[in-house]
Amino acid sequence: MPVKRRVTIAQIAEEAGVSVPTVSKVINGRPEVAPETRQRVERLLQKHGYQRRTGQGDGPVGLLDLVFAEIESPWAMELVRGAEQAAHEAAASVVISVLHTHAGPGRDWLERIAARRTDGVIIVSSRLSVRQQGQLSARSIPFVVVDPEGEPPPGVASVGATNWHGGLAATRHLLDLGHTRIGMIGGPPDMLCSRARIDGYRAALETAGVSIDPELIRYGDFLVNSGHDAGHALLSLDNPPTAIFAGSDMQAFGVFEAARQRGLRVPEDLSVVGFDDLPLSRSAWPPLTTVRQPLEEMAALAARMVLAMGRGENTEARRVELSTDLVVRESTARPR
């Protein structure tokens, strides 16, 4: 079987009709290249699967990039803690970027990363297109996606949690207490983790022989205000739920406030379950029953995977899901 020869910068330059230094500038994130030329070179880099050669001068620089779509929730701080822990073990530091979009890293960000060098990138809750994947690979930047927003492209390493199982366990807990009118507040409907949690909720109801009422399923953005608004909407129904499973702890806290404003007590009048097991869930009143997803462990594992990939120790992409666990506290009880 013939061995596929590795493409060189000179071959890319010849096919693109540009000089070798121009291709080098694109790979290294230098700004002085016309946009059309840059796009043409990047298409060819992706087409040929180009990867920058590494040599003695390309050793670890001691930097890991942790990239968030948004950073408005304490959930993000748990991931930062995990990444910092793994980076510290490897004598590296963590650089945090916030994209303010779920569309994945843009060209400007990629060029900055290429220009200053990094040992690897951890991308949190963002979509990663085939083109963006190719741009990172062409620059020999290893990357792992944590809690991917959509299905990761083939060949992309990812770390997530068993969201479906978590949704199933939360809903079964409420069913076992005797609830049959159970509201569900998910995250954005196009997010993979949100869909999985809602699918687990549906599976638990179907298995128990409880009909699924579409009116009881609402969507939000995993933050407090969306939990508050969706909680009010659910509790305003002619036949309101006796329990609500919120897709995040922050949404659950919003449900707490909505219940309080309506004169309802948790758990006497309304049971509430969250998802994440943030430190705040233990100190809330009442302490929140929730599904623990191991956020610190997820980020630490992603950091170790990226560092191993950079050392050439982990060449095959892996998809890892860490287990979730139901943590029962004081926000759930039998219905009145």
Side-chain angles (χ1 to χ4, degrees):
M1 182 177 178
V3 177
K4 185 177 179 181
R5 301 184 69 176
R6 186 170 184 170
V7 70
T8 66
I9 288 182
Q11 291 167 327
I12 295 289
E14 183 179 358
E15 188 171 345
V18 298
S19 66
V20 168
T22 297
V23 176
S24 181
K25 287 175 183 177
V26 172
I27 292 170
N28 291 300
R30 299 278 295 278
E32 59 269 23
V33 179
E36 289 183 3
T37 302
R38 183 181 301 278
Q39 289 175 14
R40 186 164 71 252
V41 170
E42 286 183 340
R43 281 196 298 269
L44 290 170
L45 291 170
Q46 183 177 333
K47 173 185 171 183
H48 293 292
Y50 173 83
Q51 289 193 326
R52 184 172 56 191
R53 292 182 183 273
T54 56
Q56 291 183 346
D58 292 324
V61 295
L63 286 180
L64 275 180
D65 278 83
L66 180 59
V67 186
F68 290 94
E70 304 288 350
I71 201 167
E72 298 177 3
S73 168
W75 170 90
M77 294 302 101
E78 297 301 298
L79 293 169
V80 171
R81 192 173 291 116
E84 287 273 12
Q85 173 191 332
H88 178 74
E89 293 169 1
S93 299
V94 175
V95 179
I96 298 172
S97 302
V98 184
L99 302 176
H100 303 292
T101 174
H102 289 264
R107 176 177 292 143
D108 290 346
W109 180 87
L110 286 164
E111 289 176 0
R112 288 197 301 272
I113 288 292
R116 67 168 166 76
R117 296 185 58 207
T118 180
D119 293 329
V121 177
I122 303 165
I123 302 170
V124 181
S125 293
S126 292
R127 292 186 180 90
L128 190 68
S129 69
V130 174
R131 180 178 178 182
Q132 290 162 340
Q133 175 190 348
Q135 290 170 331
L136 286 165
S137 297
R139 292 163 172 82
S140 295
I141 300 174
F143 59 94
V144 174
V145 182
V146 173
D147 207 12
E149 183 167 314
E151 189 67 26
V156 172
S158 65
V159 178
T162 53
N163 290 291
W164 183 89
H165 182 270
L168 182 81
T171 311
R172 279 185 172 169
H173 168 65
L174 295 169
L175 289 165
D176 289 345
L177 288 172
H179 296 276
T180 55
R181 288 287 290 173
I182 302 172
M184 172 77 220
I185 305 174
D190 59 345
M191 284 191 74
L192 192 63
C193 64
S194 175
R195 295 201 308 268
R197 291 169 199 176
I198 293 173
D199 287 346
Y201 158 87
R202 291 175 180 273
L205 294 179
E206 289 173 349
T207 303
V210 176
S211 60
I212 297 170
D213 183 352
E215 207 172 33
L216 290 177
I217 301 175
R218 306 291 164 129
Y219 297 91
D221 59 7
F222 288 137
L223 299 178
V224 172
N225 286 343
S226 71
H228 173 268
D229 295 346
H232 267 304
L234 287 168
L235 296 171
S236 297
L237 295 173
D238 292 337
N239 185 14
T242 60
I244 294 176
F245 168 36
S248 72
D249 288 352
M250 300 306 291
Q251 285 181 318
F253 300 148
V255 174
F256 274 15
E257 180 62 12
R260 185 194 66 78
Q261 290 171 347
R262 303 179 77 87
L264 300 175
R265 298 168 298 165
V266 177
E268 292 86 352
D269 304 312
L270 178 71
S271 286
V272 180
V273 179
F275 200 108
D276 286 330
D277 195 27
L278 300 175
L280 286 171
S281 65
R282 296 186 284 277
S283 57
W285 189 256
L288 179 66
T289 294
T290 187
V291 175
R292 179 180 183 271
Q293 65 167 335
L295 296 168
E296 278 192 45
E297 293 94 322
M298 287 161 59
L301 176 59
R304 294 185 187 109
M305 287 170 64
V306 160
L307 290 169
M309 291 162 69
R311 294 190 299 265
E313 298 175 12
N314 184 17
T315 56
E316 292 186 8
R318 297 165 52 200
R319 296 196 180 184
V320 181
E321 285 193 345
L322 301 185
S323 63
T324 52
D325 299 289
L326 180 69
V327 181
V328 179
R329 296 195 178 100
E330 298 174 37
S331 65
T332 52
R334 298 187 65 82
R336 295 181 66 180

